[in-house]
Amino acid sequence: MISLRRRAVAGGMLWAAITIFLGLAGLSSYTLTATKQRFTDQVANQHTQVVVALGNYYENIDALRRTIADPVYQRPFSGQYWQIENDQGLLLTSPSLVETLLPQPSAPSEGIESREFMGQNGERLFGVAQWLTLDGESSWHVQVAANVQTLDAEIADLRRTLLLAFAIICSVGIIGALVQVTVVLQPLNDLRADVKRRWDEEAGMQPSAYPIEVAPLVTDINTLLKRNQEIIGRSRRQAADLAHAIKTPSAIMRNELGALQTRGVAVTDAMNALDTLDAQLKRSFARMRADGSQNAMPVITDGTETLSRMARAFTALARNAGRTLSSDIAPGLRVRIDKSDLEEITGNLLDNAMKWSTSHVHLNAARSGNKIIIKIEDDGPGIADVDKTLATQSGQRLDTVKPGTGLGLAIVDDLVHAYDGALTLGQSAEHGGLCAEITLEAARSKASR
């Protein structure tokens, strides 16, 4: 999978590294050139000082020595040297040369010569030399030399400093690239979070809350979601219309079969087949209605209000059937499910509990973490463990004595799974009969927004 973050980070890091490298390479070249030039200029300046001193005091050797008595020339092998000699055999050297000498001068020539050479003590030296004629008679050769290792050490220190600077700037550049990419891609992260959060907000996203580059995408997502909602809405309405259209022919057939039965015609099999057909159609329509609802739109139902209304309705039915129904419904329950589907699930389970209970049915609904747990318990015979899987399969009647089609739990199971929920059939610890437990995803309460 292509990652925009990786591309942006890699591109930013590469560009930053190239820019920094070229910049530091130019700076390094300039600095090293300037350092070498400064070194040669320093040797040239020292040579000039010795030449000036010689021109002023060539007749007074003691004064000459005092004039160029820089402390660096006094320390043995300090790396800074001078040497003066004339055509009469006079030789003067700086104390720093100790007992060594600089190379013998070449034949007299004009101009200043500069070159690198090896000293007698193994030092690499850079020297500046010149032949001078004083008073138009005597010729003097003046040499000044400096140890190149001093320059090498300075260049090495400079390179280490530049490399450290390069590492620091590269680190800052990489961190800057990461921060920049994070800031640039943050609107996409916000968009992702908003798309996920829209199921809680029950509203579209606001394009104005995003940068102008992302706003068109938000608009397109809103349009796509709206069209999807319209398609699902039309499908649900068509399923409802089809179910309503089939009810009338089914009722007519049921009335005709009833009329035949009153005249003594055996129509039991036909009535059972019609009941099965009605139940199967009901299950199919329930599937069509629930299919895609939780993915097409933010379907949220006030579970407390819906379950309380169902409890009131079935309380009256229980009274008429000689049974009692109690309920314990927590306030503020908001469930990710369509209202009619929640009523279908609860109605089927309560109807099943009423049918098989002996005297009492209990409805409990509460929130646990991010789930809503709905339990419907009765004091009937329950369902054996080996039959619990069959109970949720199409048309599996575990007892033919009671009226029904055997599709009630199958419809409940279909609807619950359509909303990524779970149906668990167990034994009621308090009442001894069946405990049907429904687990559905909870939505955030309005107060927490």
Side-chain angles (χ1 to χ4, degrees):
M1 184 179 295
I2 297 174
S3 171
L4 290 178
R5 182 183 297 277
R6 288 182 180 177
R7 284 188 171 187
V9 169
M13 290 171 59
L14 179 61
W15 181 248
I18 291 174
T19 303
I20 294 170
F21 175 78
L22 292 177
L24 287 178
L27 177 62
S28 175
S29 176
Y30 171 79
T31 306
L32 292 176
T33 301
T35 301
K36 291 178 180 179
Q37 186 62 45
R38 181 165 50 82
F39 176 79
T40 57
D41 289 346
Q42 181 181 358
V43 177
N45 290 335
Q46 291 171 344
H47 176 266
T48 301
Q49 292 173 2
V50 175
V51 168
V52 171
L54 177 62
N56 292 331
Y57 301 106
Y58 70 94
E59 294 180 343
N60 187 344
I61 301 304
D62 292 335
L64 175 61
R65 288 183 179 278
R66 287 194 300 272
T67 302
I68 54 177
D70 194 300
V72 73
Y73 294 126
Q74 308 303 315
R75 190 170 65 252
F77 300 115
S78 64
Q80 300 289 335
Y81 313 107
W82 60 263
Q83 180 174 297
I84 302 172
E85 52 189 311
N86 64 7
D87 54 0
Q88 303 299 319
L90 177 63
L91 177 63
L92 302 174
T93 60
S94 63
S96 57
L97 279 171
V98 191
E99 296 179 353
T100 61
L101 296 175
L102 298 178
Q104 292 297 312
S106 57
S109 60
E110 296 183 358
I112 298 176
E113 296 180 358
S114 58
R115 62 190 178 92
E116 283 192 23
F117 54 90
M118 293 297 296
Q120 291 183 353
N121 62 343
E123 291 180 299
R124 284 178 54 237
L125 301 174
F126 174 78
V128 176
Q130 183 181 12
W131 279 97
L132 300 173
T133 301
L134 301 177
D135 291 339
E137 297 180 358
S138 58
S139 295
W140 296 78
H141 186 259
V142 179
Q143 287 189 82
V144 173
N147 193 334
V148 178
Q149 291 177 348
T150 304
L151 173 63
D152 293 341
E154 186 175 353
I155 290 176
D157 289 340
L158 179 60
R159 283 176 174 164
R160 283 193 293 269
T161 302
L162 289 174
L163 286 175
L164 179 61
F166 178 79
I168 294 174
I169 295 175
C170 277
S171 300
V172 173
I174 292 172
I175 295 173
L178 292 173
V179 172
Q180 182 180 13
V181 170
T182 301
V183 172
V184 170
L185 295 183
Q186 187 57 43
L188 295 181
N189 294 332
D190 294 340
L191 176 59
R192 179 184 178 187
D194 285 348
V195 170
K196 183 178 181 180
R197 190 166 53 244
R198 80 176 186 88
W199 308 115
D200 292 324
E201 301 297 338
E202 303 180 55
M205 296 170 290
Q206 298 298 325
S208 59
Y210 295 87
I212 58 175
E213 293 83 2
V214 182
L217 176 61
V218 178
T219 301
D220 292 341
I221 292 176
N222 281 335
T223 301
L224 179 61
L225 293 175
K226 184 177 180 181
R227 290 177 180 174
N228 199 25
Q229 290 177 5
E230 291 174 353
I231 292 172
I232 296 298
R234 286 197 298 269
S235 298
R236 291 169 65 90
R237 288 193 297 272
Q238 290 173 0
D241 293 342
L242 182 59
H244 183 73
I246 293 176
K247 282 182 180 178
T248 300
S250 176
I252 293 174
M253 292 175 62
R254 193 175 300 279
N255 290 336
E256 292 295 328
L257 289 173
L260 291 175
Q261 191 175 34
T262 58
R263 291 199 293 268
V265 179
V267 294
T268 303
D269 291 341
M271 290 289 284
N272 290 336
L274 184 58
D275 289 340
T276 302
L277 177 62
D278 285 345
Q280 289 285 7
L281 288 173
K282 183 178 181 182
R283 184 185 187 189
S284 298
F285 291 142
R287 279 179 173 177
M288 292 170 61
R289 190 173 65 246
D291 237 6
S293 293
Q294 79 281 20
N295 295 321
M297 59 188 76
V299 185
I300 297 177
T301 297
D302 186 339
T304 300
E305 190 274 333
T306 300
L307 294 174
S308 297
R309 188 176 64 256
M310 295 294 293
R312 289 192 297 270
F314 274 86
T315 296
L317 294 175
R319 190 182 306 114
N320 295 335
R323 296 174 176 81
T324 60
L325 185 145
S326 60
S327 62
D328 183 10
I329 301 170
L333 300 180
R334 288 169 54 78
V335 194
R336 293 182 182 277
I337 189 172
D338 182 76
K339 180 180 178 180
S340 60
D341 291 334
L342 181 59
E343 291 175 347
E344 181 92 15
I345 291 170
T346 310
N348 272 302
L349 292 178
L350 286 173
D351 182 67
N352 188 73
M354 289 290 182
K355 187 185 300 181
W356 292 100
S357 65
T358 301
S359 60
H360 187 71
V361 176
H362 181 70
L363 168 64
N364 177 274
R367 178 164 183 160
S368 177
N370 62 342
K371 301 294 182 181
I372 300 296
I373 309 297
I374 303 172
K375 292 182 180 180
I376 296 178
E377 305 171 80
D378 61 62
D379 57 356
I383 300 177
D385 291 340
V386 295
D387 295 330
K388 287 176 181 177
T389 302
L390 292 176
T392 57
Q393 296 179 3
S394 177
Q396 296 295 329
R397 297 186 62 187
L398 303 181
D399 193 330
T400 57
V401 175
K402 300 284 184 178
T405 61
L407 287 172
L409 290 177
I411 292 173
V412 170
D413 190 60
D414 287 343
L415 289 173
V416 169
H417 281 88
Y419 291 94
D420 296 328
L423 168 64
T424 304
L425 300 178
Q427 184 177 7
S428 172
E430 183 177 352
H431 303 285
L434 179 67
C435 174
E437 180 178 306
I438 301 296
T439 303
L440 295 169
E441 188 175 355
R444 289 192 304 171
S445 63
K446 294 182 178 180
S448 66
R449 294 182 185 180

